[in-house]
Amino acid sequence: MLRPVVLAAPRTISQKKRRRRRRRGRRCGDRWRSAEPRLHPPNAEAATSLLRGGRRRHVSAAGADMGTRARGDDFTFVSTAVKYLLFFFNVVFWAISVVLISIGVYARVIKHAETAMAGLTVDPAVLLMVVGVLMFLLTFCGCVGSLRENICLLQTFCICLTIIFLLQLLAGVLGFVFSDKARNKVSQLINKAIVHYRQDIDLQNLIDFGQKEFACCGGVAYTDWSRNMYFNCTPDNPSNERCSVPYSCCLRSKKEAVINTMCGQGMQELDYLKAGVHIHTNGCIDKLVNWIHSNMFLLGGVALGLAIPQLVGIFLSQVLIKQIKDQIELLTYSLQHRSDPLG
């Protein structure tokens, strides 16, 4: 017995179109979701913290009741190598700044007197403390800025380091162009140091070391020691060292076992040739200039050694700032398209 065949009602054109539109919409939605960056701030507060420069590496799944684990690492433009390389770079110089401050404070406390190193324009102990404090603040900005990915601190670090580098470069150029004025300034410093030779033991040791190292005596000539009240050649000078020069000016033989500290007695009363038999008669300024001219490559290497760390710090900070800005732009783009997917 044949069963009656029940024919289904033919689909209308409007129903087929609606089905095709649904399938097309699903495919477009899947493609849009697959192309979307894997950046999912769970709420508005987390998104705001990301845009302020922070970085969320492990994002919890939505819904605390689901009990799911945190997601894996999200994509980021910020390089971990650059970040921690800049951090350790600043840590090294931060430690150096602490050492400079400690030495400056120790030297200042030991000196006690306000006239310490009176022959110099600035007390070296105070100079060490000032340089150490500035370096401490600068490296603090670099350390915290790199760890927290803070653009403001990194820009402060980069700008200050650039200014210091340019000032050093400018000082070198001015010293080369105005070499005569620089020579006169050095001469004034040496003359002041001669005047205060007996007032500070550290200054005295520094002058003696320089005269022995460069085989010289005084600033321009050995008679410059007449500026000192103890070595002055005036008739009313009651000092036992009248018309003398320090023992560091004397010619010494290698066979001499005991240093004769009175070897410069009365040398200023002798003329240039007779005094030259016993002491160095040439001044230290000319010897210092000749030493600089003969060691230009060494001085250039020292200047390059000081410049390279500064340039490395400037480069790393600029790279990290650029990466943080790219990360912020990516997060901003992701949040805008999540709030308006079809926009």
Side-chain angles (χ1 to χ4, degrees), residues 50-67:
L50 285 170
L51 291 177
R52 286 178 180 174
R55 187 162 52 128
R56 188 181 181 87
R57 282 193 169 273
H58 299 281
V59 183
S60 302
D65 54 341
M66 296 178 62

Side-chain angles (χ1 to χ4, degrees), residues 214-240:
F214 292 104
C216 58
C217 187
V220 179
Y222 67 101
T223 54
D224 289 340
W225 280 103
S226 186
R227 299 174 183 271
N228 187 278
M229 60 183 298
Y230 297 96
F231 300 108
N232 198 313
C233 274
T234 55
D236 57 344
N237 185 8
S239 174
N240 294 329

Side-chain angles (χ1 to χ4, degrees), residues 28-263:
C28 291
D30 293 340
R31 284 198 300 270
W32 181 80
R33 282 189 292 271
S34 63
E36 184 184 13
R38 294 184 61 190
L39 294 168
H40 304 280
N43 48 44
E45 183 180 356
T48 304
S49 65
L50 285 170
L51 291 177
R52 286 178 180 174
R55 187 162 52 128
R56 188 181 181 87
R57 282 193 169 273
H58 299 281
V59 183
S60 302
D65 54 341
M66 296 178 62
T68 57
R69 292 187 177 181
R71 297 173 59 105
D73 289 344
D74 296 328
F75 173 79
T76 176
F77 282 106
V78 179
S79 172
T80 305
V82 174
K83 174 180 175 179
Y84 286 102
L85 185 61
L86 181 60
F87 171 74
F88 287 114
F89 172 85
N90 283 280
V91 166
V92 171
F93 285 93
W94 179 82
I96 294 175
S97 68
V98 173
V99 173
L100 292 178
I101 295 173
S102 302
I103 295 175
V105 171
Y106 175 78
R108 191 62 181 171
V109 170
I110 293 299
K111 284 292 183 182
H112 295 297
E114 291 292 332
T115 58
M117 288 290 191
L120 302 180
T121 304
V122 181
D123 189 350
V126 176
L127 185 61
L128 281 176
M129 288 189 289
V130 171
V131 172
V133 169
L134 292 177
M135 187 183 295
F136 181 88
L137 296 176
L138 187 60
T139 52
F140 176 80
C141 292
C143 288
V144 177
S146 59
L147 280 182
R148 301 296 299 171
E149 299 176 9
N150 190 296
I151 294 178
C152 181
L153 290 177
L154 288 174
Q155 286 179 340
T156 302
F157 169 78
C158 182
I159 292 173
C160 292
L161 206 58
T162 303
I163 292 174
I164 292 173
F165 174 77
L166 293 178
L167 288 177
Q168 292 175 351
L169 184 63
L170 180 63
V173 172
L174 292 178
F176 179 79
V177 173
F178 301 101
S179 57
D180 293 337
K181 293 184 178 181
R183 180 186 177 123
N184 293 334
K185 186 65 177 177
V186 172
S187 178
Q188 292 175 5
L189 290 175
I190 292 178
N191 290 333
K192 287 183 179 179
I194 289 175
V195 172
H196 299 281
Y197 176 75
R198 290 297 189 193
Q199 297 179 13
D200 185 17
I201 186 63
D202 291 334
L203 180 61
Q204 180 177 324
N205 292 333
L206 179 63
I207 294 175
D208 289 337
F209 172 79
Q211 291 189 145
K212 288 186 289 186
E213 187 70 20
F214 292 104
C216 58
C217 187
V220 179
Y222 67 101
T223 54
D224 289 340
W225 280 103
S226 186
R227 299 174 183 271
N228 187 278
M229 60 183 298
Y230 297 96
F231 300 108
N232 198 313
C233 274
T234 55
D236 57 344
N237 185 8
S239 174
N240 294 329
E241 295 178 315
R242 177 182 173 273
C243 286
S244 301
V245 295
Y247 78 96
S248 55
C249 293
C250 297
L251 298 173
R252 297 189 309 274
S253 62
K254 296 181 180 179
K255 297 180 180 180
E256 186 178 3
V258 179
I259 297 177
N260 180 15
T261 57
M262 302 299 293
C263 59

Side-chain angles (χ1 to χ4, degrees), residues 1-9:
M1 183 176 181
L2 296 176
R3 296 181 179 178
V5 179
V6 179
L7 297 176

